[in-house]
Amino acid sequence: DSVAPLRLKRIKEINPMPWYNDHTRALKLAATKMERSWKKSKLEVFGISWRERMIEYRKALKSARSAYFSKLLEENKHNPRYLFDTVAKLTRNKASTSDVSKEHSSNDFMNFFTCKIDNIREKIITMQPTTTVSRQTVHCSVPEEKFNSFTALGEEELSKLVKSSKSTTCMLDPIPTKLLKEMLPEVIDPLLNIVNSSLSLGYVPKTF
């Protein structure tokens, strides 16, 4: 006991349904009472009353849950981390996550839209006009100039973009925006190299 003395630790109980209040509790008790009366007497009047009270209880429980989370989001509207965490819990869908392939990268995403734009351009070239405006046939012309490359970014421009961005962040960000702003003088050279390499090669790293 002298080496490892016994210590008492208080465990805080977590309420799984914090929106469960006195009103919903009273409605549930009333519904349970009607259910027992119906099972005991088998009278239809008790069965109807039980079903009505259950509907009332479920509506009240749903309303209380909505009011609880609305108040929670309103009180923490200036805390983006808490908001993202709460919304993620409310919108979590375990069934849909398995359908998303983890093999797709940001480069695949970019190639998808590049191919989509190329297909649209081909359709525009081969499309025949079917309408006339002021008795003149409308012809679809191919633009003489094409956007084939991006302009390289300068250090001053990149610094301005980062500093002008909002300091809010979310759980998906690899680094908090506030920390990036503070460390910008130290990381601007490799960051600029990554951005310009991506623009010149037309390739987006998978980590992006």
Side-chain angles (χ1 to χ4, degrees):
D1 291 341
S2 60
V3 177
L6 182 64
R7 293 182 179 180
L8 297 177
K9 184 178 180 181
R10 292 183 179 180
I11 300 176
K12 185 178 180 181
E13 294 184 1
I14 300 176
N15 187 2
M17 296 175 62
W19 54 86
Y20 195 73
N21 51 34
D22 294 336
H23 177 61
T24 54
R25 187 179 291 105
L27 291 175
K28 185 177 181 180
L29 290 174
T32 304
K33 185 178 180 180
M34 285 294 105
E35 182 184 10
R36 290 174 180 172
S37 299
W38 173 68
K39 288 182 178 180
K40 185 177 180 180
S41 63
K42 298 299 180 180
L43 293 176
E44 187 63 23
V45 63
F46 288 119
I48 295 174
S49 179
W50 167 56
R51 286 189 288 270
E52 289 177 351
R53 290 180 183 273
M54 281 300 299
I55 293 173
E56 185 181 1
Y57 163 69
R58 288 169 182 168
K59 287 182 179 180
L61 190 64
K62 184 178 180 180
S63 177
R65 185 174 184 269
S66 300
Y68 169 78
F69 281 108
S70 297
K71 182 181 179 181
L72 201 65
L73 294 175
E74 180 65 25
E75 291 176 350
N76 295 275
K77 60 183 178 181
H78 299 298
N79 187 351
R81 183 181 182 86
Y82 187 86
L83 289 178
F84 278 111
D85 186 42
T86 304
V87 173
K89 290 179 181 178
L90 291 174
T91 58
R92 185 175 297 162
N93 188 355
K94 296 181 179 180
S96 61
T97 54
S98 59
D99 299 334
V100 181
S101 176
K102 297 181 180 179
E103 298 179 357
H104 294 294
S105 64
S106 54
N107 201 51
D108 297 330
F109 183 79
M110 180 182 65
N111 291 333
F112 170 78
F113 284 100
T114 302
C115 295
K116 196 174 185 68
I117 292 172
D118 291 339
N119 293 333
I120 293 174
R121 285 177 176 173
E122 290 179 2
K123 289 181 180 180
I124 292 175
I125 295 173
T126 58
M127 184 176 61
Q128 297 296 329
T130 57
T131 59
T132 57
V133 178
S134 301
R135 298 181 181 180
Q136 294 181 359
T137 305
V138 178
H139 296 281
C140 296
S141 58
V142 181
E144 297 179 358
E145 297 182 1
K146 292 184 178 180
F147 184 72
N148 296 320
S149 61
F150 292 96
T151 305
L153 204 63
E155 182 177 332
E156 183 179 353
E157 188 177 0
L158 179 60
S159 178
K160 185 178 179 181
L161 288 172
V162 175
K163 290 180 179 179
S164 62
S165 60
K166 293 184 178 180
S167 298
T168 54
T169 186
C170 73
M171 298 177 65
L172 299 177
D173 293 337
I175 180 173
T177 309
K178 185 178 180 181
L179 179 61
L180 178 61
K181 288 182 178 181
E182 294 176 356
M183 299 295 296
L184 187 60
E186 305 295 332
V187 299
I188 191 167
D189 289 336
L191 186 62
L192 185 65
N193 186 26
I194 293 173
V195 173
N196 285 332
S197 297
S198 180
L199 293 176
S200 60
L201 298 175
Y203 177 79
V204 181
K206 291 184 178 180
T207 52
F208 276 24

